[in-house]
Amino acid sequence: MVKTVEALARLVAKAAEDKKAENLIILDISKLSVIADYFMICNGNNERQVQAIVAEIRDQAHKNGYKVRGIEGADEGRWVLVDLEDVVIHVFHREDREFYNLERLWAEAPVVRFGEEG
């Protein structure tokens, strides 16, 4: 089975949703940046929830054969960046997400909506 970037984006979105991540959004940044094809942005309500979301994303990526290139900020649980190469995940504490407002910075990026079966 060929693993696609879209399949990875779906996988991390489901992992985040399984840990009750809020305000989940996937942005297609492929035409705006060379750093990744997609940004996934979501938030938790406290540090512990942010850390649980990140742990689930990491575990599901590993379980499904994707390489996690790096995780930054997990100890603090305020703004955690998970680098999966083609998909970069930003998991925020709710307050920090409102402050940094990445969606505004990447406003030109289309929001991705995957079908139920993909």
Side-chain angles (χ1 to χ4, degrees), residues 50 54 68-83 89-91:
V50 168
V54 170
V68 177
R69 294 180 69 189
I71 298 175
E72 298 292 332
D75 290 341
E76 296 82 14
R78 301 293 300 185
W79 177 359
V80 183
L81 185 134
V82 181
D83 183 354
I89 300 109
H90 300 270
V91 184

Side-chain angles (χ1 to χ4, degrees), residues 6-111:
E6 292 81 9
L8 175 56
R10 279 189 210 96
L11 177 78
V12 298
K14 176 157 182 357
E17 288 172 343
D18 286 350
K19 293 299 177 182
K20 308 295 187 225
E22 297 181 351
N23 303 312
L24 190 145
I25 187 170
I26 299 174
L27 302 175
D28 180 346
I29 63 166
S30 62
K31 292 180 176 58
L32 303 173
S33 177
V34 297
I35 59 173
D37 289 337
Y38 297 109
F39 270 177
M40 186 188 87
I41 306 168
C42 64
N43 64 270
N45 288 311
N46 55 55
E47 291 87 350
R48 183 171 283 167
Q49 184 184 17
V50 168
Q51 292 165 336
I53 293 165
V54 170
E56 185 67 13
I57 290 169
R58 181 198 61 225
D59 293 349
Q60 289 302 316
H62 281 208
K63 181 178 172 182
N64 287 278
Y66 294 100
K67 182 180 180 196
V68 177
R69 294 180 69 189
I71 298 175
E72 298 292 332
D75 290 341
E76 296 82 14
R78 301 293 300 185
W79 177 359
V80 183
L81 185 134
V82 181
D83 183 354
L84 295 172
E85 194 168 336
D86 294 324
V87 179
V88 174
I89 300 109
H90 300 270
V91 184
F92 284 96
H93 185 287
R94 180 181 33 82
E95 295 166 357
D96 291 354
R97 182 174 183 178
E98 292 169 4
F99 178 80
Y100 289 105
N101 196 1
L102 288 187
E103 293 92 326
R104 179 181 47 81
L105 295 173
W106 292 92
E108 294 178 34
V111 175

